[in-house]
Amino acid sequence: MGRVSRAQAEEHRRQVVEAASRLFRERGVQAVGLGELMGEVGLTHGGFYRQFASKDALVAEAVAQAFAEETSYGDAGGRPAGPEGARRDLLDAYLSPAHRDDAGSGCPVAGFGADMARDEAAAAAREPYAEGVRRFARQVSADGGEDLAAVCTMVGALLLARATAGTELSDEILRAARTALDG
């Protein structure tokens, strides 16, 4: 097999980072093997190390990629414009069954949180993760500050709703968090 062009190599790298970002959020970093990941994008396991120094390096890129994606949790829905309307739209979309059921393209704060907490190998990803949490807290805030309490409530509710998916409690959790943040 011939060598790939620089443009092809860059495209392959982009595909691997995007697939890793999705799969890691769906199942956790440790649950996704490199062979499986490379197969997901049609590449060989051996090609991984031509693109990345280690799985840890890929995790850091996947976290940064997930936070860099333009995440739209909802649209205006006929609400008044401005920070309060945008916050309500964000809360409605974030605390929804659709978001609960789509971990792979969902919130990176929730998707990578457990890995950041339990995996020392994820240390290289902690800075981009922390910066992503801060940006999200600013996005949630209606006054331009950081609303870390709202982020904690939202992420906790999303994780609990995912953990109880398929039960009545799951939807109750989403509604309760939405009600708590409405004020």
Side-chain angles (χ1 to χ4, degrees):
M1 181 185 262
R3 296 184 62 122
V4 298
S5 71
R6 180 174 295 220
Q8 288 172 312
E10 288 174 7
E11 176 61 14
H12 290 163
R13 183 183 186 93
R14 184 194 63 73
Q15 291 171 339
V16 171
V17 171
E18 284 182 3
S21 177
R22 178 178 46 81
L23 291 172
F24 292 164
R25 282 183 277 177
E26 283 176 3
R27 299 200 322 256
V29 172
Q30 295 305 317
V32 179
L34 294 180
E36 173 191 9
L37 173 62
M38 296 303 281
E40 179 84 9
V41 294
L43 300 172
T44 65
H45 181 267
F48 177 83
Y49 291 101
R50 285 190 291 277
Q51 294 283 341
F52 304 94
S54 65
K55 187 175 181 182
D56 298 345
L58 173 60
V59 170
E61 283 193 46
V63 167
Q65 167 66 31
F67 279 108
E69 292 171 0
E70 183 63 35
T71 305
S72 175
Y73 293 111
D75 59 29
R79 291 204 178 109
E84 278 301 322
R87 177 183 161 99
R88 283 189 300 272
D89 288 342
L90 175 79
L91 292 172
D92 286 347
Y94 192 96
L95 296 168
S96 70
H99 186 219
R100 174 198 59 209
D101 298 340
D102 188 15
S105 61
C107 175
V109 177
F112 287 106
D115 288 307
M116 295 299 107
R118 71 172 163 241
D119 192 351
E120 278 307 310
R126 285 207 176 103
E127 281 302 317
Y129 181 82
E131 181 52 36
V133 171
R134 286 198 177 284
R135 280 194 314 268
F136 186 51
R138 287 189 294 272
Q139 183 183 1
V140 170
S141 174
D143 66 8
E146 288 182 0
D147 195 343
L148 289 171
V151 169
C152 293
T153 301
M154 293 166 68
V155 171
L158 184 62
L159 291 173
L160 290 171
R162 285 178 177 167
T164 59
T167 70
E168 273 186 41
L169 181 59
S170 182
D171 290 330
E172 289 176 36
I173 290 167
L174 294 174
R175 282 191 302 272
R178 183 65 186 89
T179 299
L181 293 168
D182 227 357

